[in-house]
Amino acid sequence: MKTNRRIASLAVLAIAAAAALPAAAQTVTLKVHHFLPGTSNVHLNLIKPWCDKIAKESGDKLKCQIYPAMQLGGTPAQLFDQARDGVADIVWTIPTYSAGRFSRSEVFELPFFTRSGRGSSQAFWTYVNAHALDEYKGVKPLWLHTNDGSSFHLSSAKGVKTLDELKGLKIRAATRLNSRMLAALGATPVQMPLPAVPEAMAKGVIDGAMVPWEGVPAAKLQEIAKSHLDVPAGAPKFANSIFAFVMNQARYDALPAELKKVIDANAGAEASAWAGGTGFDSVVAANHKLATDRGNVVNALSDAELARWIKASESVDDEWVKEVTAKGANGKALLDAARALIQQFDR
């Protein structure tokens, strides 16, 4: 009996000792949710490598369970709230799919504003932390980035080379500022997330889509589109979208210090630049080749025609300034600050 009691006592002590182990000794599994397929560039070359890196640097105390293609439910527009509310621990999303909620952040979606993913992502991270961080309450931003800039991908084999040829075409837009730009240019904007584009374009619901070259394979636009339109080399891109890789704040706060350090070491301005550069800029040439290898026509605006497009879309900037100012911010000062950061990082 004494032996049994001793064994039982030792078992209780062992359980108590295990419970008393610091949280850092336990594996933390983070649920990561996003809207693209598991075969997408962002999943394979951004989210998964980031997760692998934090696992390695934490000695496998931090691990990710990645859920692509909205596998945890909801819509892309709900992803930010899923991170804030703890449905997921981390999400990758386009914040401005929720129209009107990120009005200061969306300055980076204005027409002809950015040139590259890497430079504009550094500028975007810096801008948000200085001027719009309160738009991300409830989450901890890990990277904030842009894409390589949107191009036009069109059903017509002839394509578009002038502003007059764009007029009346139904074109997919990612966000409300993308839509405003298209309307200012004379096109008919149809706002939808990227996963909806292939079916809409194949069925003729839209005549084309504004999508960065990075997103071409995910939407199979090298197969569905017959022509494409870019800006002249080195010119600011037609438009952009902003992206956020954010973590539930309470989940981050509950981590032990050593694991917070791992997360912090893989977040910030450099992580944002990596996301924009590695995730977007680095794949443009290869995805461009996917289209040309199929015999698709790739046009570029002339410098003179680009000037026409820029002038035609100037009202979008003015409207943004008025709206942000009406909400209590200094819209002109914010626009100037964002442009200064673009000048610093995205040249």
Side-chain angles (χ1 to χ4, degrees):
M1 285 293 286
K2 288 183 179 179
T3 302
N4 289 339
R5 282 198 297 271
R6 180 176 293 179
I7 292 171
S9 297
L10 290 172
V12 170
L13 288 171
I15 292 170
L21 284 173
Q26 302 172 12
T27 297
V28 175
T29 300
L30 301 171
K31 294 184 292 184
V32 182
H33 200 201
H34 68 90
F35 62 83
L36 291 177
T39 55
S40 65
N41 168 63
V42 166
H43 180 98
L44 296 175
N45 296 320
L46 281 186
I47 297 174
K48 189 174 184 305
W50 186 87
C51 286
D52 291 344
K53 193 167 185 285
I54 65 166
K56 181 178 179 180
E57 292 178 6
S58 67
D60 284 331
K61 293 172 187 173
L62 279 173
K63 293 189 175 181
C64 296
Q65 179 63 51
I66 307 174
Y67 297 89
M70 302 305 301
Q71 288 178 358
L72 291 180
T75 66
Q78 294 170 331
L79 278 167
F80 182 88
D81 288 342
Q82 289 184 358
R84 184 197 62 190
D85 298 340
V87 175
D89 298 311
I90 296 174
V91 303
W92 177 85
T93 188
I94 296 179
T96 47
Y97 276 170
S98 301
R101 290 179 57 184
F102 297 85
S103 56
R104 279 170 284 152
S105 296
E106 72 179 351
V107 63
F108 280 74
E109 294 183 347
L110 288 172
F112 304 104
F113 200 80
T114 68
R115 284 177 167 80
S116 72
R118 181 177 179 83
S120 60
S121 294
Q122 286 180 291
F124 181 47
W125 172 271
T126 306
Y127 169 88
V128 166
N129 278 271
H131 302 289
L133 198 56
D134 61 330
E135 293 184 337
Y136 299 82
K137 286 180 181 177
V139 302
K140 176 180 174 60
L142 302 179
W143 350 304
L144 300 170
H145 67 97
T146 69
N147 57 40
D148 50 286
S150 294
S151 296
F152 285 83
H153 310 276
L154 303 153
S155 300
S156 164
K158 177 186 175 184
V160 165
K161 293 182 182 179
T162 69
L163 195 56
D164 296 331
E165 291 171 338
L166 183 69
K167 291 187 186 302
L169 295 183
K170 294 174 291 184
I171 305 294
R172 175 262 181 175
T175 66
R176 71 182 195 125
L177 289 191
N178 294 169
S179 293
R180 286 182 179 180
M181 184 198 78
L182 287 169
L185 295 176
T188 300
V190 182
Q191 195 168 319
M192 65 179 68
L194 184 60
V197 168
E199 182 177 3
M201 200 160 165
K203 290 184 175 180
V205 175
I206 55 176
D207 299 306
M210 289 189 69
V211 176
W213 277 101
E214 179 277 335
V216 163
K220 298 183 178 179
L221 289 173
Q222 76 276 17
E223 301 173 16
I224 300 170
K226 297 295 183 291
S227 63
H228 314 265
L229 180 66
D230 289 331
V231 296
K237 304 298 178 65
F238 291 111
N240 214 312
S241 296
I242 57 171
F243 298 83
F245 190 67
V246 299
M247 184 173 184
N248 175 271
Q249 186 69 55
R251 185 69 157 136
Y252 171 83
D253 291 342
L255 292 176
E258 67 176 275
L259 297 188
K260 285 181 181 175
K261 287 181 181 178
V262 174
I263 297 292
D264 293 346
N266 291 281
E270 277 305 309
S272 298
W274 165 77
T278 299
F280 291 85
D281 293 339
S282 66
V283 300
V284 171
N287 292 351
H288 195 280
K289 189 173 184 297
L290 289 176
T292 56
D293 282 353
R294 291 183 66 88
N296 293 2
V297 175
V298 180
N299 296 315
L301 294 180
S302 67
D303 290 338
E305 190 63 26
L306 174 65
R308 290 184 67 206
W309 291 51
I310 291 174
K311 185 173 180 54
S313 60
E314 285 176 349
S315 62
V316 181
D317 292 16
D318 297 336
E319 288 177 26
W320 180 85
V321 167
K322 288 178 183 177
E323 284 187 356
V324 173
T325 300
K327 290 182 177 182
N330 186 330
K332 179 62 166 60
L334 289 174
L335 180 57
D336 289 345
R339 282 179 171 155
L341 288 167
I342 286 290
Q343 288 287 341
Q344 180 180 348
F345 292 109
D346 194 30
R347 287 290 180 263

